Amino acid sequence: MPALRSPHPQLYATRPGALPARFRRERVLLVGCGDVGLRVAQILSPRVRLLVLTSSPTRVDEFRTRGITPLVGNLDQPASLRRLSGLATYVVHLAPPPGSGRQDPRTQALLSTLCRRAPPQALVYASTSGVYGDCQGEIALETRATHAETVRAQRRIDAENRVRHFGRARGVRTSTLRIPGIYALNREGGTPRERLLKGTPVLRPEEDVFTNHIHADDLARACVAALWRGWHGRVVNVNDDSCLKMGDYFDLAADLFGLPRPPRVSREGAQNQLPLMLLSFMGESRRMDNTRLKKELRLKLRYPTVQTGLSG
């Protein structure tokens, strides 16, 4: 059954990011505070006491200016994390795994630290839709078995498994959010504009793949919703209602920005022109289902389609 039901459901219906009175001034720890983390902080502040783990001492003043208490530590240096133990009642884990290997020692270091004293009540982990692998255009439900086809996605599966075990072993309500491409006009690199200006090709329609997206603001709101409404041990797809192939997405963006549409090439031609990272995204096709996002987290998307999000 869902945890942490509110006695005021009408509050959630009208203000998806609002907190019930009994949760105000809880201590929320943000682990990984880039663009999405700052959006999460903006929603939560000043209703909770915000803490952030940062590996960059140069960002300390920035966080303090925003009303966030900075804690300097590095997930790659477990000894530096000791201060985190027992501090937070809720945790939002947005930090990515390291860039190599098949495991995520960063998530392991964080969870080990949180176990030393009273663990948090809830932890939200931001994973990736890449754990599904290539679904050949089929709909990806959260019950679908993971089938990572890249080492990058295998690290995420390792992190998901660690989070799930942590929740069961320590009685912590964990939520795993599987996230596709994140975009926003006010996010650095958050639109296809730069790629369109370069004239980077996309696949021709008959060889193209389905792609999924979420606006950065809606992702932040989903993280907050999962803190209060997430079901224990639940996986939730966090994507909008768009159902577009990758080339159609770039065509739509080009039309909205008044730029030329990208050239279309065959898959064989793409292999000769595009970097391996981009090719890996073109090798996976899936359509994510967001029913749990809407029904269980009760989130009403502000940007239900990429057209609404890119239109400003």
Side-chain angles (χ1 to χ4, degrees):
M1 293 182 65
L4 297 180
R5 290 184 179 274
S6 168
H8 306 291
Q10 70 278 7
L11 176 63
Y12 285 124
T14 57
R15 297 173 59 197
L19 307 183
R22 68 182 186 277
F23 292 136
R24 290 175 187 166
R25 306 308 299 173
E26 294 281 10
R27 300 181 304 280
V28 177
L29 172 65
L30 302 176
V31 180
C33 199
D35 175 72
V36 174
L38 291 176
R39 293 172 194 257
V40 171
Q42 186 174 12
I43 296 171
L44 290 172
S45 180
R47 302 177 185 125
V48 301
R49 181 185 175 193
L50 285 171
L51 313 169
V52 62
L53 175 68
T54 179
S55 60
S56 177
T58 59
R59 297 193 68 191
V60 166
D61 289 341
E62 172 196 350
F63 290 128
R64 285 177 177 161
T65 300
R66 294 175 180 269
I68 306 172
T69 301
L71 304 169
V72 178
N74 193 317
L75 292 173
D76 294 325
Q77 300 170 7
S80 71
L81 307 178
R82 291 174 182 171
R83 293 177 62 195
L84 304 183
S85 181
L87 274 183
T89 48
Y90 295 87
V91 178
V92 181
H93 178 15
L94 301 170
S100 61
R102 297 178 183 275
Q103 296 182 327
D104 182 3
R106 292 176 179 173
T107 292
Q108 178 59 37
L110 173 65
L111 299 180
S112 295
T113 299
L114 296 177
C115 283
R116 289 179 180 172
R117 294 182 183 175
Q121 296 179 39
L123 182 146
V124 174
Y125 174 61
S127 185
T128 173
S129 61
V131 299
Y132 290 118
D134 181 20
C135 301
Q136 299 182 354
E138 294 180 358
I139 295 175
L141 297 169
E142 292 89 344
T143 53
R144 188 184 185 100
T146 57
H147 186 68
E149 299 182 7
T150 66
V151 177
R152 182 176 66 253
Q154 289 172 5
R155 292 192 288 270
R156 292 291 191 170
I157 291 179
D158 177 71
E160 286 191 9
N161 290 337
R162 292 179 187 275
V163 168
R164 185 178 304 111
H165 176 74
F166 171 75
R168 290 175 178 173
R170 303 295 295 184
V172 176
R173 183 172 51 81
T174 61
S175 298
T176 296
L177 309 183
R178 289 180 177 162
I179 304 164
I182 307 169
Y183 77 97
L185 292 174
N186 59 350
R187 172 182 168 89
E188 184 177 356
T191 74
R193 182 183 296 275
E194 183 176 345
R195 181 171 160 180
L196 290 169
L197 290 171
K198 290 180 179 178
T200 304
V202 294
L203 294 174
R204 57 189 185 184
E206 58 269 29
E207 296 182 275
D208 207 356
V209 297
F210 282 101
T211 185
N212 306 271
H213 304 87
I214 187 68
H215 192 282
D217 285 344
D218 280 332
L219 172 55
R221 294 170 64 241
C223 290
V224 173
L227 276 181
W228 319 126
R229 309 173 207 163
W231 295 24
H232 184 71
R234 202 68 152 170
V235 174
V236 178
N237 288 339
V238 181
N239 57 285
D240 65 19
D241 299 333
S242 300
C243 185
L244 293 171
K245 289 192 172 182
M246 186 178 293
D248 295 334
Y249 168 67
F250 282 97
D251 283 350
L252 171 63
D255 294 346
L256 290 173
F257 296 156
L259 296 173
R261 289 187 172 187
R264 298 274 186 160
V265 297
S266 66
R267 185 169 293 277
E268 181 180 359
Q271 291 175 348
N272 298 325
Q273 299 181 50
L274 300 178
L276 290 177
M277 177 68 77
L278 188 53
L279 285 172
S280 70
F281 290 117
M282 291 182 168
E284 297 182 0
S285 181
R286 53 186 167 263
R287 292 173 290 159
M288 295 172 66
D289 180 271
N290 62 9
T291 300
R292 284 187 181 178
L293 176 69
K294 294 178 177 179
K295 290 190 175 181
E296 295 182 6
L297 299 189
R298 304 197 298 281
L299 190 74
K300 183 177 181 180
L301 295 167
R302 290 179 180 166
Y303 304 96
T305 67
V306 292
Q307 182 169 0
T308 58
L310 291 176
S311 297

